[in-house]
Amino acid sequence: MNLARVLALAQREWREILRDRIYFLLAFLLPVMLMLVFGYGMSQDIENIAFAVVDEDHTPLSRDYAHHFIESRYFSFKGYLPDADAADRLLAQRKLRLVIVIGPRFAEQLRAGRAAQVQTLIDGTFATSTRTIQAYVEAINLAANTSVRSGYLARRLGLPPERVADLLHPVVLEVRYLYNQEVRSIWSVAPGLIMLILMLVPPLLMALSVVREKETGAIYNVYSSTITRAEFLVGKLLPSVTISCINAVILWLLATLYFGTPFKGSLAFFGVATLLYILCTTALGLLISLLVRTQQAAMIISLVMSIIVSIQFSGLITPVSALSGGNYAIAHAFPAMYYNEVVKGAFLKAIGFEALWPQLLVFALYALAVFMLCYLLFRKRTRT
Amino acid sequence: MGQAALVAAAEAPLLRVAGFVKRYGRRSAVKEVSLEVRRGEIYGLIGPDGAGKSSLMKAVAGVLSFDAGRLEVFGIQLDSEAAAERVKGRLGFMPQGLGLNLYPELSIEENIDFFARLRLVPAAELAQRKERLLAITRLARFRSRAMKHLSGGMKQKLALVCTLIHEPELIVLDEPTTGVDPVSRRDFWLILSEILHERGATALVSTAYMDEASRFHRLALMLDGRILAAGRPQDLRRRVPGVAVQLRAEHQAEALARLRSVFAQVQALGAWIHVFAQDRDATAAEREIRAALADIALHEMFSTEPELEDVFIASLRQQDPHAGAMSAAVQAPLAAMAAAADGNAIAARGLTRDFGEFRAVDRVSFNVSRGEIFGLLGANGAGKTTCIKMLTGILPPSAGEGSVGGIDMRHAGRAIKQRIGYVSQAFSLYTDLTVVENVRLFAGIYGLTRREAGERLAWTLDNGGLAGYENETAGSLPMGLRQRLALGCALVHRPQVLFLDEPTSGVDPVGRRQFWEILFRLSRIDGVAILVTTHYMSEAEHCDRLALMYAGGIVADAAPAELKRRVTEEAGSLLEISASPVLQALALLRSAGYPDAALFGEHIHLLARDPDTAGTQLRQMLAGAGIAVAHIGRRPLSMEDVFVHYVTLLERGGTLQ
């Protein structure tokens, strides 16, 4: 391996990347953009749900009930509506996601000891958020029931309301969420996004950079020179890996500083694992570039591979253990799954080398194997 | 090593190709080619696209495997990738496509440095070589300019410098001059000769331009994967004995038809007719022509040495008697087209187009009348395509105006499109559709009725000689046929004006002649006004009138013969000098009042006002300097000479150099 030739190639490549505006944006803007867009998009916390109340009863009791919703931080109260028709219209226009309709004899029924009817209208076009809204509504409704009941019992039994509440709920379920105590979904999403983006961008950049030379004919400078196959492959990998390392740092900063995700693990472990993971994904891009001729093909193949692997077979959404036979095997054939364990471990669980060293070994062997495959596939004297 | 062995080694060919075969899938790109290149020579491969030149050159450079035969470079058999690696240190390869192998974002100097570092050229040597090569190519002033901002000629020179920076013994250049303006081309050939001579290196060079043959010491004419003929340019011309006769006659179309019944190779060149009279001398040929023309009045006639293209086609005919003959369909009269408006079919007045800072077209004015073939001749990037795009209403001009068929192109986009046919530079057909489907598609686009579409389809098949290919996909047709199909599609709505943007690029000489034959009939019989662009200097002679384009502007505008006459008046006649050593002779002539003397292989061309006296003087001067003069004679001016003359005048007048 002649280092002078490797450096000549790598430095030229680096200069080109810095000067080619489109490629530069692709290299440095795309990862940040993906992080921000997906960070907000995939976060499942739902707050400030626009809602309104139709109060057909107009009694202090009905207003009390409505206030349970108005005071919640999950809901954003837009005002009282005169009737259900107005509610339908605003729901259809997507100005509201939820309407609470309190029936005309609400207070009367309650006082008579009968169940009062309250109707909720929820915009069901987004299935996941609909279920979340429904859960919120049920929880608030339960709280409202409890306060009505405990107020009633407190008056009848002459006990303080707190005591009554304890009597009503003899068993209290206490939930403690491990690793993500506040169940902020961005905390689990941001590390996952680092995995996804480092699966997506490095192969794309790498594949484009080789295929671009094939398209222009500049690859013949390499073919016809005395540079060896290994030197070429290493010289091509270097700039691409460097870019991705810079991106990894930027993404880590975004996750911790911007999204506020706690980083509990060892930075050294995370750094080594990330470098190895980038080597794997960049080498996959190199492999693609050796198999195709056009930039379009390189782009489509690397994007389709990356998106499917990082979303479906990485444990990002569905845990890998829940995948069935064939899918389970596919997940194990790509580095994304192992790295997903690494990011979750390093960010949220504070585990490192001691528990996750097998993942590092997998990365190292994986990168080496793909590089060897590239070496075998790359020919300086082609058939076409 | 003994003396005898040393001599043998020096004389052994540097490159030996025997029975070379290259296939791509089922298609054979090169079929049993054999040739030898000797040390120190410039060997040419001439042929159209698809002739197999690139495949052969890539294999020689060790970047392409092949299927059969032997390939020996520096005595090493290239039978494996490992063997190929062994020759790469002594070899330089410049792939096809002007400057495409360079790095657009890097400057001239950074490009050179990269190539040198890739080849492990030591820093001190690099600095020295770089300065020298930059000086020779006159690129030194622009060393920090990004490659993407260079002109075509500069890119070509930079590519050459990058290929030479490690001082290879054999350089393989794939179409280094295609699309480059003639002035830069002359420059390029001189630089190449000087460097090769100085270093004793050898070059294998390919070109699509038949008229570049005289640049080579020896050459091979290639077509369809085979070598048709090989040898020195003068020997190739003599292979098929005969004489070329140029004539101008009344009733050109009729005269053409009568001459065809006697001679196999007859073609129209603008207002002239060009006849290749095989196996005849000038007297016999001219006598026979007079007899054939009978009562048709003959205006002018003179004989010249045949062009290499005449010989090329004649060689083809010896192998296949039908090659080069015009098909019956082409000769049949065409259906009359709708009468065009009177006056100028195309008019451009001060057309200008800016792209940001860059002025692509600069105040271009010309008129084309009905039935006229008007040519825009210029290098890639001279502004030809932009002109056409403005006149067809695709691109709004920054200034100036134009009209087509009497309609101002700015206000009547649709009306214009009904009147024009346009064959674009990039192949304008749908390659996955068959011939018939393509014609029907275009008929549909122009809203023809079913009956009309049927008629036009029959006409296109007949006119383009496409019968028998109806159900082939357009992509599978040879270039010549494809271009005739594209022409048919552009004519499907019977336009009065036809725009053709480099229609014959990459088409073989026979295909080009057939294509021009169709254009000739369209203009003469149907009265269609034709505007055609080309970068083939020799092809420009087919036009009735020519505008030479350079750097966005028109340098000269007249009939080809008139342009030549003007140059002769302004600068003199063309002299060809064969002297040895030729580079020394060239340097002497350039310093002795002939700064534009140009090198053509082993000959020198220069313009002299009084050729006879000048010839004697030059002979004495060269002999006085100890240079052996074999021959000094006159040669007819080519379009390239005309172009170079005008551009040189412009450059000297326009800039202070």
Side-chain angles (χ1 to χ4, degrees):
Chain A
M1 178 96 48
N2 186 311
L3 213 60
R5 282 197 292 242
V6 175
L7 283 180
L9 200 69
Q11 282 176 1
R12 189 219 73 217
E13 186 91 7
W14 186 248
R15 273 200 183 123
E16 277 192 291
I17 292 163
L18 294 186
R19 290 180 198 173
D20 184 340
R21 220 170 291 164
I22 299 283
Y23 196 85
F24 185 84
L25 289 180
L26 200 61
F28 291 107
L29 198 67
L30 183 66
V32 172
M33 222 177 67
L34 288 175
M35 186 78 174
L36 295 178
V37 170
F38 281 131
Y40 286 117
M42 287 173 74
S43 175
Q44 282 153 9
D45 292 334
I46 296 168
E47 290 178 15
N48 297 324
I49 301 155
F51 91 108
V53 174
V54 180
D55 187 353
E56 294 173 343
D57 194 37
H58 299 291
T59 57
L61 263 180
S62 69
R63 274 194 294 277
D64 266 1
Y65 180 79
H67 264 276
H68 277 101
F69 290 90
I70 294 168
E71 281 155 13
S72 160
R73 75 171 164 110
Y74 298 109
F75 295 103
S76 158
F77 180 57
K78 298 293 176 195
Y80 285 100
L81 291 174
D83 53 40
D85 286 348
D88 280 347
R89 217 172 38 246
L90 290 168
L91 279 168
Q93 290 169 359
R94 317 217 51 191
K95 298 229 166 90
L96 296 175
R97 304 283 311 275
L98 166 73
V99 176
I100 309 284
V101 186
I102 302 171
R105 291 162 61 210
F106 181 79
E108 191 189 320
Q109 297 275 17
L110 277 182
R111 286 204 192 91
R114 287 192 293 269
Q117 298 290 316
V118 172
Q119 191 185 14
T120 57
L121 306 169
I122 307 176
D123 175 358
T125 43
F126 292 94
T128 25
S129 61
T130 303
R131 254 172 255 126
T132 315
I133 295 173
Q134 188 191 339
Y136 291 160
V137 171
E138 279 168 4
I140 292 171
N141 186 53
L142 187 68
N145 273 338
T146 310
S147 86
V148 169
R149 236 178 299 170
S150 52
Y152 172 75
L153 286 173
R155 278 194 304 278
R156 289 289 292 264
L157 301 174
L159 290 170
E162 296 79 33
R163 181 83 185 91
V164 175
D166 286 350
L167 282 173
L168 281 173
H169 297 284
V171 179
V172 174
L173 182 66
E174 189 168 311
V175 180
R176 206 178 130 223
Y177 292 98
L178 290 176
Y179 313 129
N180 186 355
Q181 283 83 350
E182 299 184 30
V183 204
R184 291 281 193 97
S185 60
I186 190 65
W187 287 14
S188 50
V189 166
L193 281 178
I194 297 182
M195 177 279 294
L196 181 134
I197 294 167
L198 291 181
M199 180 74 223
L200 204 75
V201 180
L204 182 67
L205 293 178
M206 184 73 245
L208 285 183
S209 102
V210 177
V211 177
R212 198 160 55 153
E213 287 194 30
K214 279 195 197 175
E215 275 188 358
T216 61
I219 195 78
Y220 282 109
N221 301 335
V222 172
Y223 290 162
S224 66
S225 77
T226 42
I227 191 169
T228 66
R229 283 147 67 199
E231 284 163 5
F232 170 75
L233 295 176
V234 173
K236 267 300 198 190
L237 278 171
L238 269 182
S240 225
V241 169
T242 310
I243 293 174
S244 296
C245 286
I246 295 172
N247 277 323
V249 173
I250 296 174
L251 293 178
W252 183 84
L253 289 173
L254 275 179
T256 53
L257 299 182
Y258 187 75
F259 286 121
T261 316
F263 185 81
K264 299 171 180 167
S266 136
L267 211 50
F269 164 75
F270 183 67
V272 171
T274 303
L275 175 64
L276 289 174
Y277 176 61
I278 287 173
L279 279 177
C280 292
T281 57
T282 309
L284 279 175
L286 189 61
L287 185 63
I288 291 170
S289 75
L290 296 178
L291 298 173
V292 302
R293 280 160 180 274
T294 62
Q295 293 196 59
Q296 289 100 309
M299 186 134 68
I300 290 167
I301 292 175
S302 71
L303 282 180
V304 166
M305 175 200 79
S306 304
I307 289 173
I308 291 178
V309 166
S310 57
I311 292 181
Q312 200 56 41
F313 298 113
S314 65
L316 183 69
I317 294 170
T318 323
V320 173
S321 54
L323 295 173
S324 59
N327 288 348
Y328 185 80
I330 294 173
H332 282 75
F334 286 96
M337 180 198 94
Y338 307 97
Y339 190 67
N340 198 42
E341 291 161 6
V342 166
V343 283
K344 292 277 158 68
F347 269 89
L348 302 174
K349 296 188 191 171
I351 51 175
F353 288 107
E354 69 294 341
L356 293 170
W357 64 266
Q359 273 76 359
L360 297 192
L361 194 66
V362 167
F363 292 147
L365 292 176
Y366 196 95
L368 198 67
V370 178
F371 185 83
M372 285 311 295
L373 194 56
C374 290
Y375 182 75
L376 293 175
L377 277 173
F378 180 57
R379 286 272 162 264
K380 284 182 66 190
R381 186 169 177 261
T382 58
R383 279 203 52 75
T384 52
Chain B
M1 205 187 283
Q3 192 71 28
L6 268 175
V7 170
E11 284 175 355
L14 201 73
L15 165 66
R16 188 181 275 152
V17 181
F20 179 91
V21 174
K22 174 66 195 173
R23 293 188 203 97
Y24 296 102
R26 293 216 314 267
R27 193 174 64 82
S28 292
V30 187
K31 305 160 186 163
E32 301 250 342
V33 159
S34 301
L35 61 88
E36 287 185 354
V37 177
R38 299 175 200 136
R39 191 173 290 276
E41 71 180 349
I42 304 183
Y43 195 98
L45 296 176
I46 303 188
D49 285 4
K53 309 187 298 290
S54 287
S55 296
L56 180 58
M57 299 186 99
K58 282 180 187 168
V60 171
V63 298
L64 185 72
S65 64
F66 52 95
D67 299 289
R70 286 164 60 91
L71 185 58
E72 230 178 80
V73 183
F74 309 124
I76 295 166
Q77 275 247 41
L78 300 193
D79 49 7
S80 67
E81 186 167 345
E85 286 301 298
R86 287 170 60 206
V87 303
K88 286 179 182 171
R90 300 159 70 187
L91 201 136
F93 175 56
M94 180 170 146
Q96 200 174 350
L98 190 61
L100 280 181
N101 68 319
L102 301 174
Y103 303 94
E105 302 294 333
L106 303 192
S107 68
I108 287 188
E109 191 158 17
E110 286 167 337
N111 265 292
I112 301 174
D113 289 346
F114 168 67
F115 278 83
R117 290 177 67 192
L118 198 61
R119 297 292 195 159
L120 302 178
V121 177
E125 267 181 61
L126 165 61
Q128 200 188 339
R129 277 182 214 168
K130 186 163 64 182
E131 289 318 313
R132 234 189 66 71
L133 287 169
L134 284 176
I136 293 179
T137 49
R138 297 196 303 282
L139 289 173
R141 281 197 296 145
F142 312 101
R143 62 171 70 220
S144 49
R145 186 181 289 187
M147 175 270 177
K148 62 182 171 187
H149 297 310
L150 300 180
S151 71
M154 285 160 85
K155 282 180 190 166
Q156 171 209 41
K157 285 192 278 192
L158 176 59
L160 182 66
V161 170
C162 291
T163 312
L164 292 172
I165 196 71
H166 64 291
E167 302 208 323
E169 291 167 56
L170 173 62
I171 58 175
V172 180
L173 308 173
D174 196 358
E175 296 206 7
T177 54
T178 299
V180 181
D181 71 274
V183 181
S184 301
R185 260 160 64 186
R186 288 205 167 175
D187 225 25
F188 176 85
W189 285 112
L190 180 63
I191 292 165
L192 183 65
S193 303
E194 282 179 353
I195 291 171
L196 292 184
H197 174 75
E198 184 181 304
R199 303 225 8 272
T202 311
L204 178 66
V205 185
S206 69
T207 177
Y209 299 117
M210 208 46 79
D211 51 353
E212 279 192 327
S214 53
R215 305 287 189 175
F216 304 112
H217 296 126
R218 288 193 310 139
L219 63 114
L221 291 178
M222 289 187 73
L223 184 70
D224 200 19
R226 291 182 211 283
I227 292 182
L228 287 182
R232 297 191 302 166
Q234 54 268 46
D235 297 339
L236 284 184
R237 281 208 187 84
R238 274 181 228 123
R239 269 172 65 106
V240 183
V243 65
V245 183
Q246 306 258 32
L247 61 111
R248 219 152 53 76
E250 205 74 43
H251 310 300
Q252 192 185 13
E254 175 61 21
L256 208 59
R258 290 197 193 172
L259 289 169
R260 287 230 165 97
S261 61
V262 183
F263 300 97
Q265 288 172 232
V266 181
Q267 59 171 338
L269 289 179
W272 294 76
I273 295 176
H274 178 98
V275 180
F276 176 62
Q278 197 177 333
D279 300 323
R280 295 164 174 96
D281 62 17
T283 338
E286 288 182 20
R287 192 178 59 236
E288 277 181 62
I289 286 170
R290 277 177 215 283
L293 289 179
D295 58 328
I296 297 178
L298 185 66
H299 297 313
E300 267 181 276
M301 175 155 73
F302 63 89
S303 308
T304 58
E305 202 180 310
E307 302 282 332
L308 192 64
E309 193 173 294
D310 293 322
V311 175
F312 181 86
I313 290 170
S315 311
L316 260 183
R317 278 195 306 112
Q318 284 174 349
Q319 291 172 12
D320 168 14
H322 299 294
M326 297 301 152
S327 66
V330 174
Q331 291 182 28
L334 307 174
M337 291 205 171
D342 286 333
N344 288 327
I346 308 171
R349 280 177 298 276
L351 270 187
T352 300
R353 174 72 204 197
D354 298 318
F355 293 106
E357 294 277 291
F358 175 66
R359 179 155 284 192
V361 173
D362 189 13
R363 285 163 294 157
V364 161
S365 303
F366 56 79
N367 294 311
V368 184
S369 32
R370 230 185 128 222
E372 186 176 39
I373 304 180
F374 182 79
L376 283 178
L377 177 64
N380 288 350
K384 308 188 298 287
T385 302
T386 312
C387 258
I388 286 199
K389 283 189 174 163
M390 288 193 282
L391 285 170
T392 48
I394 297 173
L395 196 68
S398 309
E401 50 193 48
S403 66
V404 173
I407 302 173
D408 190 315
M409 60 182 188
R410 280 172 304 182
H411 308 302
R414 258 200 82 71
I416 283 189
K417 283 180 181 103
Q418 280 300 328
R419 286 165 192 240
I420 62 173
Y422 177 28
V423 179
S424 70
Q425 195 169 10
F427 186 52
S428 54
L429 299 172
Y430 294 86
T431 48
D432 293 332
L433 297 185
T434 66
V435 169
V436 170
E437 287 165 345
N438 263 299
V439 178
R440 288 205 182 276
L441 174 68
F442 277 84
I445 290 172
Y446 283 105
L448 268 60
T449 62
R450 256 186 103 73
R451 217 177 55 109
E452 284 172 322
E455 276 173 25
R456 298 305 289 164
L457 175 63
W459 180 85
T460 303
L461 295 176
D462 191 37
N463 182 47
L466 288 160
Y469 295 96
E470 289 91 339
N471 297 315
E472 302 269 336
T473 58
S476 67
L477 296 178
M479 276 298 270
L481 283 178
R482 266 198 227 181
Q483 286 305 58
R484 295 200 310 246
L485 174 59
L487 180 62
C489 290
L491 290 170
V492 77
H493 58 300
R494 301 169 185 256
Q496 303 146 12
V497 178
L498 185 59
F499 290 92
L500 301 149
D501 198 359
E502 304 210 341
T504 54
S505 278
V507 178
D508 64 277
V510 176
R512 287 221 301 269
R513 286 197 175 189
Q514 288 169 341
F515 194 84
W516 278 103
E517 184 67 23
I518 298 176
L519 295 189
F520 176 74
R521 306 204 132 248
L522 275 175
S523 68
R524 296 300 187 273
I525 297 170
D526 305 303
V528 177
I530 300 175
L531 189 152
V532 59
T533 71
T534 180
H535 57 82
Y536 289 96
M537 295 290 140
S538 60
E539 201 172 70
E541 316 241 359
H542 285 279
C543 302
D544 294 312
R545 223 148 44 78
L546 263 187
L548 306 187
M549 281 198 82
Y550 181 77
I554 289 184
V555 186
D557 168 10
E562 169 63 15
L563 286 172
K564 286 181 185 173
R565 197 187 56 73
R566 281 190 212 162
V567 172
T568 312
E569 234 167 56
E570 287 166 22
S573 310
L574 190 67
L575 281 184
E576 182 176 79
I577 302 169
S578 309
S580 176
V582 71
L583 284 173
Q584 216 177 312
L586 183 72
L588 189 63
L589 290 169
R590 285 190 154 202
S591 62
Y594 297 96
D596 301 323
L599 184 71
F600 282 77
E602 291 167 327
H603 311 284
I604 296 166
H605 285 187
L606 53 81
L607 291 172
R609 268 184 212 289
D610 185 355
D612 297 327
T613 343
T616 326
Q617 282 173 356
L618 291 176
R619 191 182 285 274
Q620 283 167 359
M621 185 185 79
L622 290 170
I627 296 168
V629 180
H631 172 76
I632 295 184
R634 289 173 72 158
R635 277 192 58 86
L637 274 176
S638 68
M639 270 333 287
E640 186 188 304
D641 296 312
V642 173
F643 200 106
V644 170
H645 171 74
Y646 280 113
V647 172
T648 317
L649 271 188
L650 185 82
E651 284 189 331
R652 290 206 181 123
T655 55
L656 295 169
Q657 277 189 341

